[in-house]
Amino acid sequence: MTGFARAAGTSGPVQWAWEVRSVNGRGLDVRLRVPNGYEAAGEVARTALQKTLSRGQCQLSLALTKPETAVRVRVNEALLASLAAAVARVPVPEGVAPATMDGLLGIRGVIETEEEAAPETDSLARDLAEGVVRLVADLVEARRTEGRQLAEIVGGQVTRIAELTEAAEACPARKPEAVRARLAATVASLTEGGTLDPDRLHQEAVLLAAKADVREELDRLRTHVGAVQELLAKGGAIGRRLDFLAQELGREANTLCAKANDSALSRIGLDLKAVVEQFREQVQNVE
């Protein structure tokens, strides 16, 4: 399921913001991006998502805005004095300029810098953890909102599958007299201009009738439709089971089309395959 959530706040001089984006996925994949030094907070957020969600690809990120850190500059006077004394003792060759103060200050170690201490991290860690709780709750609510809308779409598709199953059951091409008429026409074309063993023809006719019977496929379609409707009524994390049932519905629809020996039944089978495929695509979005 798709969804987006953001939780932001301020901890002392630090501004922070969690963001998570969720898109469809067969399994659960949480990808993390946090600033250096905040890996522990990121793992807390990742674990919270993994405990709550079961499907989807999630992009989780943390952004921090810190105030500019004041830098203190200190001159190592002892080192500078030692360098000046050493330079004074060395004769300056002709054509060489004597050492200057800016040159001595540029020597490594003479100028020392240090940053002020970082802000208190315990309160920041606590605020980040509380932000994760809000983030996960908002993401779950966003996904539930989409889920309610998706339930209407999927429910309509299941209803259409059930209607097409009953239409196939009531198709005139499946009536015994229609089957007998087709078999009689087939036998007549085979015996035209010659004679065939009547007993053998009867056996072949029975086999053809059995192969063309789609009663088992229709029964299984009804069973799968009932299972889908039960799952939708139950709710919860049902995406994987719906995905399995979508595959089973597709298998039965394919078999029905393969067995259909009448254009009317073939049209119903093709419509059924189209709706099942739409259903299969939609259940990929279900938690």
Side-chain angles (χ1 to χ4, degrees), residues 29-220:
D29 180 20
V30 180
R31 299 182 181 181
L32 183 64
R33 187 178 64 192
V34 298
N36 291 334
Y38 292 85
E39 289 78 7
E43 289 304 320
V44 170
R46 188 204 299 271
T47 301
L49 286 173
Q50 290 173 336
K51 288 181 178 180
T52 306
L53 309 180
S54 60
R55 298 182 85 184
Q57 294 182 355
C58 298
Q59 296 285 346
L60 174 65
S61 64
L62 171 63
L64 296 174
T65 303
K66 299 181 180 180
E68 293 186 3
T69 305
V71 178
R72 294 178 180 175
V73 179
R74 187 176 70 87
V75 177
N76 189 332
E77 296 180 5
L79 177 58
L80 179 61
S82 177
L83 287 172
V87 169
R89 292 194 299 268
V90 176
V92 179
E94 186 178 353
V96 176
T100 60
M101 179 60 71
D102 58 342
L104 293 176
L105 291 174
I107 296 176
R108 184 174 182 179
V110 175
I111 300 295
E112 297 176 345
T113 61
E114 61 180 11
E115 294 183 355
E116 292 182 349
E120 176 61 43
T121 57
D122 289 344
S123 61
L124 177 59
R126 182 175 60 253
D127 291 342
L128 290 177
E130 293 175 354
V132 167
V133 175
R134 301 201 308 270
L135 182 81
V136 174
D138 290 346
L139 178 63
V140 169
E141 182 57 32
R143 287 162 63 103
R144 282 177 177 167
T145 300
E146 183 189 12
R148 287 189 287 268
Q149 298 171 349
L150 189 59
E152 297 181 5
I153 298 173
V154 172
Q157 292 169 340
V158 174
T159 299
R160 182 57 179 159
I161 292 172
E163 292 172 351
L164 289 170
T165 300
E166 297 309 316
E169 176 70 45
C171 183
R174 293 194 63 251
K175 295 186 178 298
E177 54 270 23
V179 175
R180 283 196 295 269
R182 288 196 300 273
L183 290 175
T186 302
V187 170
S189 63
L190 291 173
T191 56
E192 184 178 358
T195 58
L196 294 175
D197 183 1
D199 292 336
R200 181 62 179 171
L201 283 173
H202 177 74
Q203 293 175 2
E204 292 296 329
V206 172
L207 290 174
L208 287 173
K211 290 180 180 180
D213 188 14
V214 294
R215 182 170 300 280
E216 290 185 5
E217 286 70 28
L218 295 177
D219 289 341
R220 284 193 288 267

